[in-house]
Amino acid sequence: QVQLVESGGGLVQAGGSLRLSCAASGRYPMGWFRQAPGKEREFVAAISWSGGTTYYSDSVKGRFTISRDNAKNTADLQMNSLKPEDTATYYCAAGPLGSLGENYRRPNWWRDWGKGTLVTVSS
C-alpha cells in the first residue's frame, strides 16, 4: 500500500492560484481528484510514471497543471485562475504499477488514496 499525503490547500479568492503537493514514492501513475459536498468524486488530472503523459478534465484544462518530481517523490497540481466552482476537497491517488490505464478517469481504477486537502475559492 502506498502512503499518500497531500498539502497546500487553503482559502483563495477567485482568480488566484494554489499549488497542491502529494508526497508518494514508487513507480506509479499519479492522479488528482476532487469532491465537493453532496457530489461524486470527479477526475481532475493524471500523470504517468515518467511524466511524459498527462490528462486533464475539460473543466480544468488550460488552468491546472499536473507535474511530478520522481527524485523528490512528489506529484503536484498547480491551480491557476481558480473559480468558486473549484471549491472541493482534493485527493491524491496512486494507480497500479505500470502505465495509465484507459479507465484512469474512474475513481475505482486508482489503488491508493490520500486523506484529502480542502480548497476553498471565494467569489
Side-chain angles (χ1 to χ4, degrees):
Q1 187 174 7
V2 179
Q3 300 297 318
L4 303 173
V5 180
E6 303 99 335
S7 61
L11 174 64
V12 64
Q13 288 188 332
S17 298
L18 279 176
R19 188 176 184 90
L20 306 183
S21 187
C22 177
S25 61
R27 300 175 64 88
Y28 310 101
M30 299 295 296
W32 287 94
F33 284 71
R34 66 187 182 187
Q35 188 166 17
K39 295 188 176 181
E40 294 185 350
R41 191 167 297 191
E42 65 171 351
F43 169 76
V44 174
I47 189 167
S48 62
W49 152 248
S50 68
T53 300
T54 57
Y55 298 106
Y56 298 93
S57 68
D58 288 343
S59 61
V60 307
K61 195 174 296 182
R63 299 188 298 122
F64 292 11
T65 302
I66 189 171
S67 62
R68 67 189 300 161
D69 186 333
N70 289 334
K72 296 181 179 179
N73 294 324
T74 58
D76 293 351
L77 185 68
Q78 177 66 42
M79 305 185 296
N80 298 329
S81 302
L82 282 161
K83 305 175 181 179
E85 50 263 44
D86 294 318
T87 295
T89 298
Y90 283 70
Y91 296 90
C92 175
L97 285 172
S99 59
L100 278 167
E102 61 182 15
N103 294 319
Y104 63 87
R105 292 178 182 269
R106 300 180 182 179
N108 61 8
W109 183 82
W110 298 84
R111 193 182 67 181
D112 297 293
W113 295 86
K115 294 183 178 180
T117 185
L118 180 62
V119 171
T120 304
V121 184
S122 63
S123 57

